[in-house]
Structures are given as C-alpha cells and as structure tokens.
Amino acid sequence: MTASETPSPDQPPASTGPLAGLRVVELGQLLAGPFCGQMLGDLGADVVKIEDPAKGDPLRQWGRQLPEGQSLWWSVVGRNKRSVTLNLREAEGQDLARKLIAGADILIENFRPGTMERWGLGYADLAALNPGLIMVRVSGFGQDGPYAQRAGYGAIGEAMGGLRYVVGDPSTPPSRVGISIGDTLAALFATIGALAAVREREVSGRGQMVDSAIYEAVLGVMESLVPEWQISGYQRERTGAILPNVAPSNVYPTADGSWLLIAANQDTVFGRLAAAIGQPDLATDPRYATHGARGERQAELDALIGGYTSTQDAAVLEAALEAHGVPAGKIFRPVDMLTDPQYLARESITEVQHPVLGPVAQQNVFPRLSRTTGTVRWPGPALGEHTAAVLAEVGVDDAALASLRGRGLA
C-alpha cells in the first residue's frame, strides 16, 4: 500500500494529476454530487467544497463505524477536497459563493431542482458571471419533467431505472445491491458529462449545464433490458447468482466451507473446465457441448460441477482451475483485499494519513493514467478547514472572516 503525507491546512499538497489547474466548486452533499467531486479531485482538480457552517455535509456522521467520532465514509468521499463553510441560505453567503464560482471551471450541486434558483445561483445567473462555467446538476429525476420536484433518493432511482427488480433471488422480493449504486452511477455519468463539457469548451469557449438523473444513470447500465421487452416481450427476472442460459457461471461450494466463482460458459473454456475436474468427456457430450445446450441444462450442470467442487478445498481447486486456464476466483472481502498479491502489486489499496486515526486504508484512484495518474493527497478534511485560505482568494481578510463567523455565515 502507498501512503500519502498529512497536508498543511493552508497549503495542501500540489496536484500532479491530469486535471491539475481545473477549479471545481462543490455544493452538494451526501453521495450523488460529492462522489463526482471525489473523482475530479482524485484526478487532480482543485475541489472547493462549500458546507453549512453548523453541521457540514451529513456524510460526516454516516457509517456503521465511527472510530473516535470520525466517519470513515467521509474520509473517502471528502478526500482531496478543501472544506469551506458558508451559509447559502443567507444573502452574504450566496454572494461569497458567487465570487468563488466566478473563478471556477465546474460547479457541482445535487439539491432538489429549483433550490439553486431560489438562492440566486441558477445556471443563467452564474453563466452571466462566468460564461465558461460548467454546471453539473445531479438529481433523482433530472431538472425537468413531471417528477423533477419529487424527493429523489438513490434507492428510488435504482427502482425506477430497472435495477431493483432484477437484483436478488427469485424466491425473495426485489433486493438491493449492498452499496449506494444509484448515487454512484449518477456521479459517474456526471463526471463523464463534466469532462465532455470541458472538452467542448475548448472549441466553443462556452460552458453548459450537465443534467445527470439517478434513474437515467441506472437505466444507462441496464444492457438490453428495454429492447428485449419491446421487441420480444421478454422480461428479465431475478435470478440470484446466475444469468439465465449462461452456464456454467455461478458460485460453487468447496470442502472447507468457502465459495468459488467459476465462469466457464464459453465452449473452449468449458472444455478446459471439464478437464480440470477430471471429466473431459463433458466437453463433447451433446448435453453440454454447446452454449445453447448448457443453457438448457443449467441447473443440472451446476449441480454436477458443485458436486465436484464440494470435495475440494478452495485453494487447491482455484490452483487447479488456474492451471487449466479457467476463470475462477474467491469472493473477496476487505481482509482478502488487504493481503492479495494482485491488490498489493498494483497498489489498489492506498493508505492516507488521517490527523486523528493515523494511516487509513482505502481504495486508490481509478482509472490509472500512464504519465499523470491521480493520487490521494489527503483524507476528508475537518469542517471549514480551508475556509480562511479559500475566502482570502476572493478578498475576505481576517477581520471580515471573523465577522462572518460571528454571525454564523461562515
């Protein structure tokens, strides 16, 4: 694992990432907007996060574990950002936000549509100050349409986008993925849109608005779900650990109580699996020789393979499958990630120095660039840690800052 240095509150370490020199102002909270800010910051942008002076981003209190009162979730999503406190519900706070946004390349917000307009921070107002501004707006249902004003949490977007219906076992009600996947997908699409708009600005000289809706981001990764229904009337259902008619591709039990995922649905790969489990004749057996035949007998084939794997320890079985060129792997948990040789070789987990907790392990920056890859420079900062330094950039001196703080505005 790599380790980063503890930054000075006023002089964070300089970025060498591909987005170095790009200024981002983040007004969002929780995950859908801030994860977009995290990714831009990971790649080197200077991300100035504006938070409410009283409590800050609610994510600072989120997580099942809060060692010494510190949110580990916040240490990840808040990393590489500078925290500035401003009360955006008051005119002075809004004015200071405008001054910061006037010099920004990208603005991120994920409030309910109309909130920014009520604060005098709508796109038309801000573009008049900064014609090159790219305003990234993340919401449940988008900025228009009959649902725009509804409360739009990630879970609702996952349901509306089609994901919840197909997740889980067919014997249970629709399930959820164990992370906030709707929010993070919306943030990923928002990030792609922001970078596309930066590229277009190089041609036109003008900014624009990026509208990322959670339900559309989920819909965007649903493969051929819609045309399958529209053209052929086929409705995908919950199928647990398998994809229907794609066999063998499942998790299989081992003798030592573990599970191993084996994906051998391609004809040639299935032949190698058959040899690995000591039954090479399966590869030419008409019942299993083709992709279609295996799909028709999926449950039967899974039972056959599971009968063999349950007699083998996981490590022995995995080694044998690897030797035969069969894609297979154990189901990873954090304890596996921290010791796995592939993770270690690629430094997929990094350590960042936390001022309270010391070294904190977390996922590194992805994707990697060969010359100017991103880095984790510091963890999620303390609330308002960079207020003085950032506001000084727009002419707020110590006396003015003290006045703002005295009135609960910063």
Side-chain angles (χ1 to χ4, degrees):
M1 291 185 292
T2 56
S4 59
E5 298 179 356
T6 304
S8 160
D10 295 323
Q11 294 181 326
S15 164
T16 57
L19 300 184
L22 207 67
R23 169 65 67 88
V24 178
V25 174
E26 179 190 301
L27 301 185
Q29 58 183 20
L30 295 175
L31 198 56
F35 187 54
C36 174
Q38 178 199 322
M39 287 186 288
L40 295 173
D42 282 353
L43 294 173
D46 174 21
V47 181
V48 174
K49 181 175 179 65
I50 297 178
E51 302 182 70
D52 179 78
K55 294 183 178 179
D57 191 323
L59 199 68
R60 291 177 176 274
Q61 286 79 47
W62 278 37
R64 296 190 63 178
Q65 301 296 320
L66 296 171
E68 299 193 46
Q70 303 296 309
S71 167
L72 298 173
W73 205 337
W74 169 251
S75 76
V76 177
V77 179
R79 71 190 192 187
N80 295 332
K81 300 177 185 179
R82 296 197 284 168
S83 173
V84 174
T85 51
L86 287 176
N87 187 344
L88 296 178
R89 291 172 176 78
E90 300 293 337
E92 282 186 81
Q94 295 160 6
D95 288 340
L96 287 168
R98 287 189 197 93
K99 290 181 180 179
L100 292 173
I101 295 166
D105 296 287
I106 299 171
L107 170 66
I108 302 169
E109 66 92 7
N110 66 318
F111 300 112
R112 189 177 297 193
T115 301
M116 295 289 285
E117 284 73 15
R118 289 197 302 273
W119 291 343
L121 300 173
Y123 180 71
D125 295 322
L126 297 174
L129 294 173
N130 181 355
L133 179 69
I134 295 159
M135 186 174 185
V136 178
R137 314 194 72 170
V138 188
S139 62
F141 305 102
Q143 298 300 307
D144 53 18
Y147 297 175
Q149 293 303 313
R150 291 185 181 183
Y153 276 43
I156 307 304
E158 292 165 21
M160 185 174 174
L163 181 64
R164 288 292 183 105
Y165 185 80
V166 300
V167 173
D169 188 86
S171 65
T172 67
S175 301
R176 70 168 296 158
V177 178
I179 58 172
S180 303
I181 191 69
D183 290 312
T184 52
L185 283 173
L188 283 164
F189 278 94
T191 303
I192 294 168
L195 296 177
V198 169
R199 172 64 184 91
E200 194 280 335
R201 188 178 63 180
E202 295 175 0
V203 177
S204 69
R206 299 170 58 198
Q208 59 185 304
M209 191 166 64
V210 176
D211 183 355
S212 180
I214 296 174
Y215 86 93
E216 288 175 334
V218 173
L219 176 64
V221 300
M222 293 307 294
E223 302 171 349
S224 57
L225 179 139
V226 171
E228 285 172 352
W229 169 258
Q230 184 254 333
I231 296 296
S232 63
Y234 174 71
Q235 170 64 60
R236 290 199 192 186
E237 301 289 344
R238 293 181 293 288
T239 56
I242 66 167
L243 287 176
N245 302 317
V246 176
S249 183
N250 206 339
V251 288
Y252 300 92
T254 63
D256 51 358
S258 298
W259 294 88
L260 203 68
L261 196 150
I262 302 174
N265 48 287
Q266 189 177 347
D267 289 352
T268 55
V269 181
F270 178 68
R272 298 199 293 269
L273 172 63
I277 66 174
Q279 300 185 59
D281 292 346
L282 290 177
T284 55
D285 187 322
R287 295 174 299 169
Y288 311 120
T290 66
H291 178 81
R294 290 191 299 276
E296 290 177 5
R297 295 171 176 81
Q298 186 166 31
E300 173 185 314
L301 183 58
D302 278 342
L304 188 155
I305 295 169
Y308 175 83
T309 63
S310 61
T311 68
Q312 306 290 310
D313 285 348
V316 174
L317 177 60
E318 186 175 13
L321 293 171
E322 181 182 353
H324 284 80
V326 178
K330 60 186 178 183
I331 308 298
F332 273 59
R333 298 169 297 164
V335 66
D336 305 302
M337 299 173 187
L338 290 169
T339 56
D340 181 79
Q342 180 70 11
Y343 271 78
L344 294 173
R346 286 180 57 84
E347 297 179 347
S348 303
I349 303 291
T350 188
E351 277 188 351
V352 60
Q353 190 67 28
H354 192 283
V356 176
L357 301 174
V360 174
Q362 54 187 250
Q363 58 268 46
N364 213 329
V365 177
F366 316 122
R368 304 164 188 276
L369 280 70
S370 62
R371 288 189 299 103
T372 58
T373 200
T375 56
V376 181
R377 302 182 297 284
W378 64 90
L383 180 61
E385 183 173 333
H386 307 99
T387 300
V390 173
L391 292 187
E393 298 172 8
V394 291
V396 178
D397 59 22
D398 291 345
L401 180 58
S403 174
L404 289 168
R405 283 175 167 163
R407 290 175 288 135
L409 298 176

